[in-house]
């Protein structure tokens, strides 16, 4: 029937994973942009903060897995970015910041790097 090489299956798997990562990052960008428009006291801000925190926490967990094949330096950089984003969302939650746009900009850079 269908026969695919291991390399083709792995390439499809990697391409699919990158597409899913782009989609969840797009969603975070959409939510944070809506929150920026409505303000840090809005329901949109609550949803954006929760989603974005959970997303970056999950990314961090994945980056720390022993079978994650990214280069160590790239993993370290992405973990640093994740920590920054998580800290920024916490500042917004505590009403100490309105830095939605900073999070959007960094997330957009990361998303665009997945191409």
């Amino acid at each position: 029937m269908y026969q695919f090489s291991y390399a083709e299956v792995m390439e499809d798997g990697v391409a699919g994973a990158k597409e899913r990562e782009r989609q969840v990052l797009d969603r975070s960008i959409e939510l944070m942009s809506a929150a920026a428009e409505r303000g840090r006291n809005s329901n949109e801000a609550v949803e954006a903060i929760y989603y974005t925190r959970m997303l970056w926490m999950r990314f961090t967990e994945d980056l720390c897995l022993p079978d994650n094949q990214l280069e160590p330096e790239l993993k370290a950089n992405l973990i640093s970015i994740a920590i920054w984003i998580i800290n920024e969302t916490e500042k917004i939650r505590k009403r100490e910041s309105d830095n939605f746009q900073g999070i959007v900009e960094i997330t957009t850079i990361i998303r665009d790097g997945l191409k």
Side-chain angles (χ1 to χ4, degrees), residues 1 10-12 26 32 38 43 48 52 55-56 58 71 77 81 89 92:
M1 192 158 204
M10 290 308 296
E11 183 61 34
D12 285 345
D26 279 340
M32 293 303 277
R38 298 297 302 247
N43 289 336
T52 301
L55 173 64
W56 284 97
R58 178 64 186 107
E71 296 292 323
N77 289 338
I81 291 167
T89 59
I92 295 169

Side-chain angles (χ1 to χ4, degrees), residues 11 17 21 24 28 30 42 49 60 71 73 87 93 104 113:
E11 183 61 34
E21 289 171 350
V24 295
S28 177
E30 290 170 11
S42 66
I49 290 166
T60 302
E71 296 292 323
E73 184 177 354
N87 287 338
R93 187 190 69 77
V104 167

Side-chain angles (χ1 to χ4, degrees), residues 3-11:
Q3 294 184 2
F4 299 102
S5 72
Y6 178 76
E8 289 172 322
V9 171
M10 290 308 296
E11 183 61 34

Side-chain angles (χ1 to χ4, degrees), residues 48-58 86 89-90:
I49 290 166
Y50 178 78
Y51 183 90
T52 301
R53 282 180 62 90
M54 292 300 107
L55 173 64
W56 284 97
M57 289 170 70
R58 178 64 186 107
I86 291 166
T89 59
E90 184 63 12

Side-chain angles (χ1 to χ4, degrees), residues 74-93:
L74 178 56
K75 281 197 257 187
N77 289 338
L78 289 170
I79 290 169
S80 293
I81 291 167
I83 291 168
W84 181 84
I85 289 175
I86 291 166
N87 287 338
E88 285 300 304
T89 59
E90 184 63 12
K91 288 178 187 175
I92 295 169
R93 187 190 69 77

